[in-house]
Amino acid sequence: PCKMADYAESEVPIVSLASLRDGSPSDALVQELGDALKKIGFACLVDHGLEAILPDIYDLNKRVHALPDEDKKQMNINSHHRGFLPLNRSPTFRDENAKKPNYSESFLEQPDAATQPPGPYCVFNGPQPWPSTDADFQPACSALSARMVAFARTLLPVFAQILGQPQDFFEPSFATPQWFFRLLRYPTPPLEFRDKVIGAGSHTDYGFCTFVMQHDLGGLEVLAAPQADRSAENWFTVPPRPDAIVLNVGDTLHRWSNGALRSVRHRVVHDAAVDRHSTAFFFDPRYDTQIVPLRAADEAALYEPFVYGEHITKRVRSNYNTLPPKVDQATTTST
């Protein structure tokens, strides 16, 4: 574990979750993780209790990308943003060097739509595509995503305490959480593209928080905090650790914290001669959650309140062409 003075602004601090596994989060954990997320926006989590399944997640990732092309086409991402997203369909155009869509492909799983509340922003509720040639993939994937949900829930009391709230503050908002389990593959880019940042362009994440498993190959880069004496952007790499999970703050938590926890731009630079596999778990509140910035009585609100479902729908629609162009009751009922 690291304290604020122990790490620079150009590295992601390592934070041990050992005390969380022993029961209630320790004051030291709350302080260390809070410091990391307030200063860097990222933390490298160790002693998290998921070490035994990280190889299984890596194997699952490689397994879905090894499926026949016909199986991938059959799982093609649907109008609920579920399924297989082919190469060059993830257009994050926020980096001046990224002139093409993100050079990656991925499989996206979301919660069983029957468990999600109906409402005007539930365009993500719908059927989940699965491989037709690998009957064991669905139970394996669902079991691992369930473990990620359970793990993410254990951090809610920590986030609450970091923000000066009771440990159970976030529980109602995550009674039926929205989440995205994304198995990514970054192929070796063609030679003519290798001087471009096309793994994943510079962006912030839309939701509450993200857990990233880089597996055995790095490429994740984080934008360092701006400095008065430095005009150019300074990016630093996040070295891969097979036993670690990288946590970062999303825009929803950033605004919920009234800007106290940083949602920081990051990207993926991949120019190695081998494919890169990375798995991301995006953990978000229920669709109808009203996000009201948490602030002291004498502190001004930096953001207007908003509904998470409206926010996530707008953000996904702005970056993808998978969702229907208009939200109406017919497209938002649970199926």
Side-chain angles (χ1 to χ4, degrees), residues 12-159:
V12 172
I14 299 171
V15 177
S16 170
L17 299 185
S19 71
L20 188 61
R21 295 172 61 184
D22 295 335
S24 183
S26 67
D27 292 342
L29 170 59
V30 173
Q31 181 69 43
E32 290 165 9
L33 186 58
D35 285 348
L37 300 184
K38 290 173 183 177
K39 185 176 183 182
I40 307 293
F42 278 73
C44 182
L45 307 179
V46 296
D47 305 319
H48 43 68
L50 296 182
E51 291 83 359
I53 69 167
L54 293 185
D56 298 331
I57 293 175
Y58 187 18
D59 289 344
L60 187 79
N61 187 315
K62 292 184 290 185
R63 182 169 160 185
V64 73
H65 291 289
L67 288 169
D69 288 343
E70 284 304 311
D71 215 351
K72 294 177 182 177
K73 290 179 182 178
Q74 174 263 324
M75 294 192 298
N76 194 54
I77 195 159
N78 60 24
S79 60
H80 304 282
H81 204 60
R82 298 165 179 258
F84 196 86
L85 188 65
L87 199 63
N88 291 339
R89 283 282 304 279
S90 177
T92 303
F93 298 112
R94 296 217 174 91
D95 192 302
E96 62 181 7
N97 294 318
K99 306 301 183 184
K100 300 178 181 298
N102 293 339
Y103 201 66
S104 67
E105 59 183 6
S106 58
F107 175 81
L108 285 122
E109 182 197 10
Q110 294 185 49
D112 183 345
T115 68
Q116 298 303 96
Y121 305 116
C122 299
V123 293
F124 299 101
N125 284 358
Q128 175 68 53
W130 295 106
S132 60
T133 60
D134 187 347
D136 295 330
F137 181 85
Q138 177 178 356
C141 187
S142 296
L144 291 171
S145 60
R147 289 290 300 275
M148 291 303 303
V149 171
F151 166 68
R153 283 186 185 280
T154 67
L155 284 170
L156 291 176
V158 185
F159 292 133

Side-chain angles (χ1 to χ4, degrees), residues 37-38 41 163 204-209 248-264 291-294 302-303 306 311:
L37 300 184
K38 290 173 183 177
L163 297 175
T204 58
D205 292 344
Y206 316 146
F208 187 80
C209 69
N248 68 276
V249 174
D251 295 341
T252 297
L253 179 54
H254 171 75
R255 296 182 186 184
W256 212 337
S257 71
N258 202 36
L261 306 185
R262 298 185 62 217
S263 180
V264 177
I291 309 297
V292 180
L294 296 169
L302 300 180
Y303 302 96
F306 64 96
H311 163 74

